[in-house]
Amino acid sequence: MSSDPRILVVAPDDDLIGSLCQGLDALGWRTVTARTLAGAIQVLIDWPLETVIIDARIPDAADGVGALRQAVTPRRLPVLAIGADAVDWAPGIADIAMSIAPHAAQAALRLENLVRSAIAEEEVSVREATFAARGEPLTPPHLDATPLRVLAAGKPDLHFLALSNALTDRGCEVVAAPTPYTAFDYLHERPFDAAVLWGAEDHAPALSIASGMKRNTRLYHIPAVLYLRGAGEINLSELYNRGFADVAAADTPEVETAERIATLARAHRRHVAIRKALESARGSGLTDPTTGLFTPELFASHLARVAEGARLRRRPLSVAVLRVGGSETLTEAREGGWLDRALPQIGAMVSRLIRTEDTAARLSPDVFALALPATRGEAARIAAERIAAVIGCTAFDAGPERAPFVVEFDVGVAEISPGESPASVLTRASDALKQATAA
């Protein structure tokens, strides 16, 4: 249910995190609060919560994070720690540490990224088991061990230079780009793990770079951080809606801001490694040779493991089925063989449009299926229809002297019920597809 709480807040009182909780509740990230670590563990046992925000002032907070995570094993539990002491915790105790409570929009964005990364990590272990059982071990995630690469874009300034030095002290390789033009030259020439953009007197250059990154599929996932001269200069909700992963004011200690940027960079690098590991399945002999998607047999085997993992981790699971429609134009394309020529490209588009943790299969020449872990039915429908809409914007060759054709999909979705078998939920999704066609 969408009204269920998603975040556990562990805090002795509301002084530090209370206003943040109100903001998150307003954004749809409902919170539930525990005043002690013992109470927090009981809440995690009672509720399948997605993430934790912990007030570092609570007694034994740093040691308690491990106990909280142990309580939900094998589910991964991202943790955001807030408080002056949190920034001095050893690396790895919390996924994010901040000295003061962030803007609610910023927290929601960061928590969403952490949750999706945790689910992707879970999917790696499930997919490794699927391929190992079939004698084709999956390539494990290989994390790049070179220094983190950070692009620093903007005119030189004392605060900006101090931040660059703080990043360098953390072992980051910082590349300075004084203008948006040089920034994009660097972004296209070499890989980066994060980009920090200086707001200076005019935010326009930074906003231009961020917008350009979000319009480029290769640069889209690189976290962009806006570094402002001071607090309250611009509407923060608007900035996060523009795609910034973080916003920091110059009056925030450079050491803390640098650590936040480095944390984002490490998370991005890990995300890239996970995606490469999951995509390595396409090179095996078990996937569909023309699209790289899972075959029906492989998908059935994997779906069984995903369903069992969802039960153990108390996460939802949905299945979507997409079938090429039967319009007159598509019928003509089928008869001429042009649709068959386009289907490998369509399958490749499906594989690129799914999230890292999702699994796509080709059930028949023109029917595709998606397994969407940690996803409710309505959200799965939105994801499937988004994929269909993007592919529907592409024109495919229909032969000499014929107008190109576009592909439309019928979509069916089902969310697995308690005790339901994987085969049953796939059947229900297919039945929903038939109902959609009849309608």
Side-chain angles (χ1 to χ4, degrees), residues 337-353:
W338 296 101
L339 179 60
D340 291 339
R341 292 182 175 88
L343 282 169
Q345 181 181 348
I346 293 170
M349 293 176 72
V350 170
S351 71
R352 289 196 298 270
L353 292 169

Side-chain angles (χ1 to χ4, degrees), residues 125-383:
S125 62
V126 177
R127 202 170 295 192
E128 284 176 342
T130 296
F131 279 79
R134 291 178 168 259
E136 291 277 354
L138 193 66
T139 302
H142 174 68
L143 197 61
D144 185 354
T146 60
L148 295 170
R149 292 176 290 273
V150 179
L151 176 71
K155 295 180 180 179
D157 178 275
L158 289 178
H159 290 295
F160 203 40
L161 292 174
L163 176 60
S164 297
N165 291 334
L167 286 167
T168 302
D169 291 342
R170 274 160 177 70
C172 298
E173 177 187 330
V174 181
V175 177
T179 69
Y181 300 104
T182 53
F184 279 112
D185 284 344
Y186 284 132
L187 285 167
H188 288 296
E189 289 173 359
R190 64 185 78 173
F192 285 94
D193 301 297
V196 55
L197 315 177
W198 176 231
E201 297 82 4
D202 181 11
H203 299 107
L207 297 178
S208 173
I209 295 171
S211 298
M213 291 173 66
K214 294 306 170 186
R215 290 194 299 268
N216 186 297
T217 55
R218 192 177 63 82
L219 307 177
Y220 181 85
H221 293 290
I222 298 175
V225 178
L226 180 63
Y227 193 40
L228 296 173
R229 289 179 303 159
E233 298 180 37
I234 198 168
N235 185 298
L236 291 176
S237 294
E238 178 186 348
L239 290 175
Y240 294 121
N241 289 334
R242 285 175 176 263
F244 283 101
D246 201 353
V247 177
D251 54 8
T252 304
E254 288 89 1
V255 171
E256 179 181 338
T257 302
E259 184 56 38
R260 283 158 59 176
I261 295 168
T263 299
L264 283 167
R266 284 191 293 267
H268 171 70
R269 184 170 287 192
R270 178 67 179 166
H271 176 86
V272 170
I274 291 170
R275 190 167 190 96
K276 287 182 178 178
L278 294 177
E279 290 177 345
S280 69
R282 298 177 194 169
S284 74
L286 302 178
T287 55
D288 178 69
T290 58
T291 63
L293 301 180
F294 279 36
T295 61
E297 297 78 13
L298 184 61
F299 184 72
S301 173
H302 186 62
L303 183 60
R305 284 187 171 83
V306 173
E308 177 61 15
R311 184 189 66 79
L312 291 173
R313 297 179 177 94
R314 295 195 294 168
R315 293 196 190 276
L317 169 66
S318 295
V319 173
V321 178
L322 296 86
R323 182 176 62 195
V324 176
S327 67
E328 182 177 343
T329 302
L330 285 173
T331 299
E332 293 177 356
R334 277 191 179 91
E335 292 173 350
W338 296 101
L339 179 60
D340 291 339
R341 292 182 175 88
L343 282 169
Q345 181 181 348
I346 293 170
M349 293 176 72
V350 170
S351 71
R352 289 196 298 270
L353 292 169
I354 59 174
R355 300 168 304 183
T356 302
E357 65 271 19
D358 298 335
T359 300
R362 189 181 189 184
L363 301 185
S364 69
D366 59 356
V367 178
F368 303 92
L370 309 175
L372 301 104
T375 306
R376 295 289 183 188
E378 187 55 38
R381 176 169 294 281
I382 292 172

Side-chain angles (χ1 to χ4, degrees), residues 25-102:
D25 287 334
L27 292 173
W29 282 76
R30 283 197 57 210
T31 61
V32 58
T33 300
R35 296 304 186 193
T36 66
L37 286 170
I41 291 173
Q42 187 58 52
V43 171
L44 287 173
I45 294 172
D46 294 339
W47 292 88
L49 299 170
E50 298 177 51
T51 185
V52 167
I53 299 176
I54 187 168
D55 186 332
R57 297 175 303 152
I58 206 160
D60 301 318
D63 294 334
V65 171
L68 296 175
R69 286 181 166 141
Q70 184 63 34
V72 301
T73 302
R75 178 157 44 94
R76 293 176 180 266
L77 186 68
V79 175
L80 164 61
I82 298 176
D85 294 338
V87 295
D88 295 324
W89 287 1
I93 293 179
D95 296 276
I96 304 174
M98 306 181 77
S99 60
I100 60 174

